[in-house]
Amino acid sequence: MAAEQERLPVFVYGTLRPGQANHGRFLRGRTVAEEPARLRGAVLFEGPGYPYAVAEPGGEVRGELVRVVPGVYAAVLASLDELEGCAPDGTGEMYVRVVRPVLAEGGEGAVRAWVYLAAERTARRLRAAGTRVTGGSWPGAQ
């Protein structure tokens, strides 16, 4: 079964986190569960009002693992792709949507989830001259 058909949860780490600006607009009332989680192998960089996760061995990003209501899954994923500037296949100029293992803090261990990472050109620019978010949590320590 293709990942799209599996209805994978989505790992959110920026403005889509509960309490942040885009959570209410895109996710509130459309999830069945939201739990703290960690993405290993990535670090965060500041963007203009939102963060970028950039692949980096040894790094860790804190966020939430969001499970979307099945009846609205396709519409929610499409709206998240649009927000993040991704085509339906997950490719984009700023972000790409990829499947990564995410550690749910509820004890179920690693879960395959969609993650929006900085696209390679954006990631190169951030690694060269970006401002790293300390502690792996945006905004600030949570």
Side-chain angles (χ1 to χ4, degrees), residues 8-11 37-42 59-61 64-65 67 98-105 108-117:
L8 298 174
V10 181
F11 177 74
R38 295 174 285 134
L39 170 66
R40 291 192 174 147
E60 184 174 272
V61 174
E64 278 74 36
L65 190 63
R67 298 178 193 277
V98 297
V99 177
R100 292 286 187 269
V102 174
L103 297 172
E105 292 185 9
E108 68 182 289
V111 174
R112 288 171 23 113
W114 288 121
V115 178
Y116 290 92
L117 294 178

Side-chain angles (χ1 to χ4, degrees), residues 9-10 23 30-35 64-69 108:
V10 181
H23 184 269
R30 297 177 185 100
T31 65
V32 293
E34 299 171 356
E35 64 181 306
E64 278 74 36
L65 190 63
V66 175
R67 298 178 193 277
V68 177
V69 172
E108 68 182 289

Side-chain angles (χ1 to χ4, degrees), residues 73-98:
Y73 185 87
V76 168
L77 195 61
S79 68
L80 296 181
D81 282 351
E82 185 175 343
L83 173 69
E84 306 297 8
C86 291
D89 66 357
T91 61
E93 292 293 316
M94 292 176 40
Y95 291 94
V96 293
R97 177 172 40 88
V98 297

